[in-house]
């Protein structure tokens, strides 16, 4: 198995039209209406925000639904089946990220939830909150929980990985020398802005050498690279199901048991306690301590199905697929006049399929509105919940982000590159304006889904759909 530590450099590629998805995802051919009245297959290049469900995930949830019943305390047969489904999902999810035998796997809602939970478990030192070191490159989910619940220091990242690591080592050493060492280093697995990674082995060596633990924000890494707690020595990893092709509301925090068993129970309520008196509570340890309330069984089942599917796929094929798509995005976009690709660390050892860029003369929101309205492409614009980073890099007005995954086809990437080139060469065909802070098409003729949101789509999608919206490539 190729691990993050051994990743080869990204290949440079010309065109990727022939690349087909590595794994089947649902909704791949959904027709998207354009302003000129045509429909084209929706190109989902916003996978870093939320990935489409794997076919295997949809199938597993459909199979599990009739078996769903109350879990943990129900004596009935389906309660026992559901409890088994939930607990075996927990084991699969932990195994997927290489949990050590004594690690806990906590089932939460998402990465944000996981990191907030861990923030309540960082041990205090001499009666004051434990110290946490975090870089300013982080997603707000890996910044704000530390600032709120711990004694957090935000270190400014440097222009290279080497210089950033040096600054981290120096700050960790300074903390230890001052007699108030850091308890935890919280670091991204892969940037949600640039897709770049830090060398995990070096990060772990730096932290452990100074007596600190490491939590990895795996939101952008775990769905795209095989990651192992046991192999890397990382102490905790957090990740989200909806970014891992399992959009059913579950995520996970996996890692060392002692802090989690002693930390503040994340949710106070039923299931987290051994006994409750009016004058005190005896909390459980283990996962139950933090998982009060009725758990998200189907979310856990979905995430486990995604983990199983990703574990079974050829990791080299998955990496090569995403590397080729990313390389084509970077090369294709940088070849267009006035387009700038955002970079953080030119010496990053690996990059996942996230590419952020700006187009001279156009606001990011207008580019995103144009790509959707005229080309059926979904991207993200803004500051990507990484305000300190975007500000430091000089992108106060934000940027546009395209992201790919196992379900992305080469045609979608080619369509984006061609669409941005057409924007720069000829300008947009429709008129755009800012309404309530958002870029929209003026007098937008596209139909909007009504009612539950499915009615309008189901009425016109697929065979036998509205003749006026024949599904043709752009
Ligand atoms: N960390 C990173 C690197 C992310 O990309 C995201 C989501 N964009 C998060 C944390 C937060 O994930 P979630 O919204 O699933 O909690």
């Amino acid at each position: 198995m190729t691990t993050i530590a051994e990743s080869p450099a990204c290949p440079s590629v010309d065109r990727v039209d022939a690349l087909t998805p590595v794994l089947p995802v649902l909704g791949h051919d959904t027709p998207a209406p354009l302003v000129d009245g045509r429909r084209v297959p929706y190109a989902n290049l916003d996978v870093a925000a939320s990935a489409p469900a794997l076919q295997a995930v949809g199938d597993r949830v459909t199979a599990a639904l009739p078996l769903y019943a109350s879990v943990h305390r129900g004596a009935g047969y389906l309660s026992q089946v559901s409890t088994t489904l939930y607990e075996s999902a927990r084991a699969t999810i932990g195994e997927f990220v290489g949990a050590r035998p004594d690690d806990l796997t906590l089932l939460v809602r998402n990465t944000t939830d996981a990191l907030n939970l861990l923030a309540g478990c960082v041990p205090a030192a001499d009666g004051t909150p434990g110290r946490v070191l975090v870089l300013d490159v982080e997603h707000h989910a890996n910044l704000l929980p530390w600032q709120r619940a711990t004694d957090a220091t935000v270190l400014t990242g440097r222009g290279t990985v080497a210089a950033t690591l040096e600054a981290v080592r120096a700050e960790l050493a300074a903390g230890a020398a001052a007699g108030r060492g850091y308890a935890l280093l919280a670091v991204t697995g892969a940037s949600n802005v640039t897709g770049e990674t830090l060398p995990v082995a070096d990060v772990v060596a730096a932290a452990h050498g100074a007596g600190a633990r490491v939590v990895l924000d795996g939101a952008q890494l775990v769905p795209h690279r095989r990651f192992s707690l046991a192999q890397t020595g990382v102490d905790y990893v957090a990740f989200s199901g909806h970014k891992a092709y399992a959009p059913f509301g579950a995520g996970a925090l996996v890692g060392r048991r002692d802090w989690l068993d002693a930390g503040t129970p994340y949710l106070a309520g039923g299931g987290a306690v051994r006994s409750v008196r009016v004058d005190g509570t005896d909390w459980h340890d283990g996962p139950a301590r933090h998982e009060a309330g009725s758990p998200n069984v189907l979310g856990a089942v979905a995430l486990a199905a995604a983990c199983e599917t990703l574990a079974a796929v050829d990791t080299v094929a998955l990496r090569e697929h995403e590397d080729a798509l990313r390389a084509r995005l970077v090369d294709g976009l940088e070849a267009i006049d006035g387009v700038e690709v955002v970079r953080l660390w030119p010496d990053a050892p690996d990059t996942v399929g996230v590419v952020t860029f700006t187009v001279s003369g156009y606001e990011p929101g207008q580019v995103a509105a144009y790509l959707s309205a005229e080309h059926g492409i979904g991207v993200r614009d803004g500051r990507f919940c990484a305000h300190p980073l975007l500000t430091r890099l000089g992108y106060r007005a934000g940027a546009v982000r395209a992201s790919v995954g196992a379900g992305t086809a080469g045609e979608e990437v080619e369509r984006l590159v061609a669409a941005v080139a057409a924007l720069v060469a000829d300008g947009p065909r429709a008129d755009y304006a800012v309404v309530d802070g958002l870029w929209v098409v003026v007098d937008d003729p596209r139909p909007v889904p009504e009612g539950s949101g499915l009615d309008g789509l189901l009425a016109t999608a697929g065979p036998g759909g509205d003749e006026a919206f024949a599904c043709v490539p752009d």
Side-chain angles (χ1 to χ4, degrees):
M1 176 199 302
T2 310
T3 66
I4 180 143
E6 316 162 344
S7 65
C10 261
S12 186
V13 290
D14 290 334
R15 290 187 64 100
V16 289
D17 311 68
L19 284 185
T20 53
V22 172
L23 289 169
V25 292
L26 294 165
H28 191 64
D29 293 327
T30 304
L34 304 185
V35 280
D36 62 9
R38 292 178 304 142
R39 283 180 183 247
V40 294
Y42 180 60
N44 185 349
L45 297 182
D46 198 14
V47 172
S50 273
L54 287 171
Q55 177 73 54
V57 168
D59 292 348
R60 184 74 61 84
V61 170
T62 304
L65 261 174
L67 305 175
Y68 177 71
S70 63
V71 278
H72 285 152
R73 307 239 342 109
Y77 173 64
L78 284 190
S79 292
Q80 291 173 355
V81 171
S82 278
T83 302
T84 303
L85 283 175
Y86 186 63
E87 293 303 330
S88 70
R90 185 193 303 284
T92 301
I93 293 162
E95 200 180 314
F96 180 62
V97 291
R100 292 152 293 229
D102 200 37
D103 283 343
L104 289 186
T105 299
L106 305 185
L107 297 173
V108 294
R109 288 180 299 178
N110 48 37
T111 306
T112 305
D113 219 18
L115 296 172
N116 275 278
L117 189 164
L118 186 62
C121 299
V122 178
D126 303 328
T128 55
R131 296 192 75 189
V132 176
L133 182 60
V134 57
L135 289 165
D136 69 345
V137 306
E138 299 294 336
H139 187 283
H140 297 165
N142 196 23
L143 186 64
L144 301 181
W146 315 119
Q147 288 186 314
R148 188 168 71 173
T150 73
D151 179 3
T153 297
V154 183
L155 187 67
T156 305
R158 308 295 199 262
T160 61
V161 163
T164 302
L165 279 176
E166 206 38 60
V168 167
R169 281 190 205 100
E171 182 56 36
L172 289 166
R180 278 223 64 218
Y182 284 97
L184 184 68
L185 173 62
V187 73
T188 188
S191 164
N192 69 308
V193 177
T194 65
E196 293 161 339
T197 66
L198 290 167
V200 178
D202 293 343
V203 169
V204 170
H208 288 180
R213 290 189 177 180
V214 176
V215 57
L216 197 77
D217 172 351
Q220 298 299 342
L221 182 75
V222 167
H224 303 283
R225 295 286 186 268
R226 287 313 305 275
F227 169 79
S228 164
L229 287 163
Q231 282 179 21
T232 57
V234 166
D235 299 282
Y236 299 94
V237 64
F239 60 106
S240 302
H242 71 102
K243 294 181 194 291
Y245 314 99
F248 288 85
L253 174 69
V254 188
R256 309 247 182 230
R257 168 185 276 271
D258 52 353
W259 284 11
L260 300 173
D261 274 350
T264 309
Y266 185 51
L267 296 171
V273 291
R274 287 197 192 91
S275 71
V276 178
R277 302 173 309 280
V278 287
D279 60 348
T281 298
D282 181 13
W283 298 95
H284 274 303
D285 52 18
R289 181 181 189 81
H290 298 286
E291 293 182 9
S294 303
N296 178 1
V297 178
L298 291 168
V301 165
L303 181 49
C307 291
E308 277 174 21
T309 308
L310 289 168
V313 79
D314 175 353
T315 52
V316 174
L318 184 61
R319 172 189 290 276
E320 285 178 354
H321 178 75
E322 294 187 7
D323 280 354
L325 295 175
R326 179 193 160 90
R328 174 61 183 141
L329 272 173
V330 172
D331 291 356
L333 289 169
E334 284 189 328
I336 301 168
D337 271 353
V339 175
E340 186 179 295
V341 171
V342 178
R343 282 209 174 71
L344 182 52
W345 294 311
D347 54 342
D350 190 17
T351 44
V352 299
V354 176
V355 177
T356 291
F357 61 97
T358 54
V359 182
S360 172
Y362 293 96
E363 286 191 24
Q366 187 179 6
V367 176
Y370 154 84
L371 289 170
S372 173
E374 302 188 29
H375 299 276
I377 300 168
V379 293
R380 177 68 42 136
D381 70 279
R383 289 187 288 164
F384 319 114
C385 296
H387 294 182
L389 177 64
L390 272 281
T391 301
R392 173 160 67 80
L393 295 181
Y395 299 98
R396 279 175 192 278
V400 185
R401 183 181 73 187
S403 50
V404 299
T408 309
E411 177 278 325
E412 297 170 292
V413 161
E414 292 299 345
R415 207 191 314 168
L416 177 86
V417 172
V420 175
L423 177 68
V424 170
D426 308 321
R429 283 169 287 171
D431 292 329
Y432 296 84
V434 178
V435 176
D436 295 333
L438 286 180
W439 280 93
V440 295
V441 176
V442 175
D443 298 328
D444 195 340
R446 289 174 293 171
V448 281
E450 288 170 6
S452 67
L454 289 177
D455 306 347
L457 283 175
L458 296 181
T460 53
D466 189 334
E467 294 290 332
F469 295 118
C471 189
V472 291
D474 191 28

